[in-house]
Amino acid sequence: QSALTQSPSASGSPGQSVTISCTGTSNDVGRYNYVSWYQQHPGKAPKLMIYEVTQRPSGVPDRFSGSKSGNTASLTVSGLQAEDEANYYCSSYAGSNNVVFGGGTKLTVL
Amino acid sequence: EVQLLDSGGGLVQPGESLRLSCAASGFTFSSYAMNWVRQAPGKGLEWVSGINTSGGGTNYADSVKGRFTISRDNSKDTLYLHMNSLRADDTAIYYCVKDQRTSSRGNFDYWGQGTLVTVSS
């Protein structure tokens, strides 16, 4: 049950696009299409932004998109807005009904 | 409206026990897997435990295996986490989390507000 690897920080200017990556192994990200992304603002509970690699829950802007290649999943935020500044966490199903999270990426809107 | 109301947190001494509860409403509780996810102060998210719809299938992170027990009462729409032999590194906000699936897959679409557990002498 090793944590997924995320870069600690990412940044972009308003209107730009930024991509956050999440690297796992062939036993989690690489094996299953159950990668999710969560947004967490300070003092708040996390919010589901992407599930099953590419799916967006209703109400999540289409500026948020997900993808996966091999053992690495990615979250892309297009048309950055000030309210996108938050911590972002990835998670993956790891088999046997276990789930593993990434360490989180702090996204700063410059 | 889906609501998950976490409760039961507090200050305990190392080695003591605590039971967390999560009252669910706004959805058919018995149709979805449920989980506990924790977040230590200033740290990231850690999946702690999951339980399938019937309660017959439970899973735990290695860090809590043998000390924590997850359970659910579908007649009361309530999820529980029994925590024994608590340690300082169990200090965290504990979130009750609903999965979109019948077994834990990490599709965590609704989260409780969290309840703080502090383990300290």
Side-chain angles (χ1 to χ4, degrees), chain A residues 22-71:
Chain A
C22 169
T23 301
T25 70
S26 58
N27 293 320
D28 39 60
V29 174
R31 178 171 293 186
Y32 304 103
N33 287 324
Y34 284 110
V35 175
S36 296
W37 290 92
Y38 302 88
Q39 177 191 67
Q40 186 180 35
H41 288 109
K44 301 293 187 181
K47 175 186 177 183
L48 180 65
M49 304 302 284
I50 296 288
Y51 66 97
E52 294 177 11
V53 182
T54 62
Q55 302 304 301
R56 236 183 353 263
S58 61
V60 172
D62 59 7
R63 302 185 294 103
F64 291 85
S65 62
S67 63
K68 187 182 86 167
S69 177
N71 297 337

Side-chain angles (χ1 to χ4, degrees), chain A residues 6-18:
Chain A
Q6 296 182 239
S7 297
S9 63
S11 63
S13 299
Q16 288 186 333
S17 293
V18 64

Side-chain angles (χ1 to χ4, degrees), chain A residues 1 36 38 40 52 96-97, chain B residues 39 59 62 101 105-107:
Chain A
Q1 295 179 348
S36 296
Y38 302 88
Q40 186 180 35
E52 294 177 11
S96 301
N97 298 312
Chain B
Q39 186 169 34
N59 297 87
D62 289 343
R101 299 284 184 169
R105 289 296 179 268
N107 293 9

Side-chain angles (χ1 to χ4, degrees), chain B residues 61-114:
Chain B
D62 289 343
S63 57
V64 306
K65 201 170 292 184
R67 300 187 299 122
F68 289 11
T69 301
I70 190 172
S71 62
R72 65 191 297 163
D73 186 337
N74 287 342
S75 69
K76 296 182 178 179
D77 292 349
T78 302
L79 177 73
Y80 303 100
L81 185 67
H82 300 255
M83 303 184 294
N84 296 324
S85 304
L86 282 161
R87 312 185 303 221
D89 62 359
D90 293 318
T91 295
I93 295 173
Y94 284 74
Y95 293 101
C96 166
V97 183
K98 171 188 171 293
D99 202 297
Q100 292 177 330
R101 299 284 184 169
T102 56
S103 295
S104 297
R105 289 296 179 268
N107 293 9
F108 299 153
D109 58 350
Y110 288 96
W111 297 62
Q113 83 284 0

